[in-house]
Amino acid sequence: DAKTTQPPSMDCAEGRAANLPCNHSTISGNEYVYWYRQIHSQGPQYIIHGLKNNETNEMASLIITEDRKSSTLILPHATLRDTAVYYCIVRAQGAQKLVFGQGTRLTINP
Amino acid sequence: ETGVTQTPRHLVMGMTNKKSLKCEQHLGHNAMYWYKQSAKKPLELMFVYSLEERVENNSVPSRFSPECPNSSHLFLHLHTLQPEDSALYLCASSQGAASTDTQYFGPGTRLTVL
C-alpha cells in the first residue's frame, strides 16, 4: 500500500471550509484514495473515496491532483461536530484491509 | 448509525475469564472484519471473513478466536487475555472483500483486561 503523509493537527473556525491535505506520492494507477474520520472513541466513519476524478457527496468534496500524488478533503461549512481525527488511506488493488496511519486531528473552534 | 452494531460497548474482564464480542450488520454485506485499536496506535486489521470463510488472519494470537456463523454476524471469542490486549475492538462490514468495497464500521467495544 502506498504511504500517506498528513499534518498531525489542524484548526478551523466554525462555519468556514476545512481543507485537509494528504500526500501520497508513491500511489500507483489502480489505487484508490479513501477518507475516514474518527470521533473520539467511536468507530471510524466513511467520508468519501476517489480514483482520479474529483468527488463530492453530502459530507465532503475530494480534490485529487492531476498527477494523483496528493489530495485534499474539503468540509465546506465546518461545524463543531466535525472535530475528529481524519484519515487519508490509499488502498491497493485487491487489498482487503484498510491501513490507517496517524491521521490529522482537526479541531473546529467556535 | 452505520448499520453495524456491536455488543457490549464496554467490557472489563480478568485474565482468566472467557468472553465474546458480538457484531451484527444490517446492510446485506458479505464481508466482515475485526480491527484492533490500541491507545495511541493506528487501527490494525485482525481478521477478514468473506461469505463466512476466513480469508485473512494477521498473525493474531490464538487467545483471540473469531467465528462467523452467517454473513450478518461475527463474533470474537476471548480467553486468557493479557492486560496489553486492552483496546477498542472494531467490527466493519463491506459488500464484498474487494479493494473497491467501502467498509462501514461499528461503534466498537472498549475492552479492559485486568
Side-chain angles (χ1 to χ4, degrees), chain B residues 14 18-19 22 40 45 48 64-65 67 72-73 84-88 93 105-106 109 113:
Chain B
K18 290 185 180 180
K19 296 286 184 184
K22 179 182 176 183
K40 309 292 185 184
L45 179 69
V48 180
F64 296 92
S65 175
E67 179 190 3
S72 299
H73 294 86
E84 58 265 30
D85 296 321
S86 298
L88 180 67
S93 73
F105 286 81
T109 295
V113 181

Side-chain angles (χ1 to χ4, degrees), chain A residues 32 34 36 38 41-44 46 49 87 91-98 100-102, chain B residues 33 35 37 42-43 45 55-56 58 88 90 97-103 105-107 110:
Chain A
Y32 283 77
Y34 277 79
Y36 280 78
Q38 188 173 23
S41 293
Q42 297 182 22
Y46 165 76
H49 74 282
Y87 298 98
R91 193 171 180 193
Q93 183 79 14
Q96 293 163 332
K97 63 183 177 183
L98 295 169
F100 287 78
Q102 298 293 340
Chain B
Y33 310 76
Y35 284 83
Q37 188 174 31
L43 275 80
L45 179 69
V55 297
E56 186 159 341
N58 274 0
L88 180 67
L90 292 155
S99 59
T100 53
D101 290 314
T102 300
Q103 294 179 24
F105 286 81
R110 173 70 60 185

Side-chain angles (χ1 to χ4, degrees), chain A residues 14-16 77-83 108:
Chain A
E14 187 178 18
R16 304 297 294 269
H77 304 287
T79 70
L80 298 179
R81 286 179 292 183
D82 292 322
T83 293
I108 306 300

Side-chain angles (χ1 to χ4, degrees), chain B residues 28-42:
Chain B
H29 289 168
N30 293 314
M32 297 186 78
Y33 310 76
W34 279 117
Y35 284 83
K36 174 184 177 182
Q37 188 174 31
S38 303
K40 309 292 185 184
K41 291 184 180 179

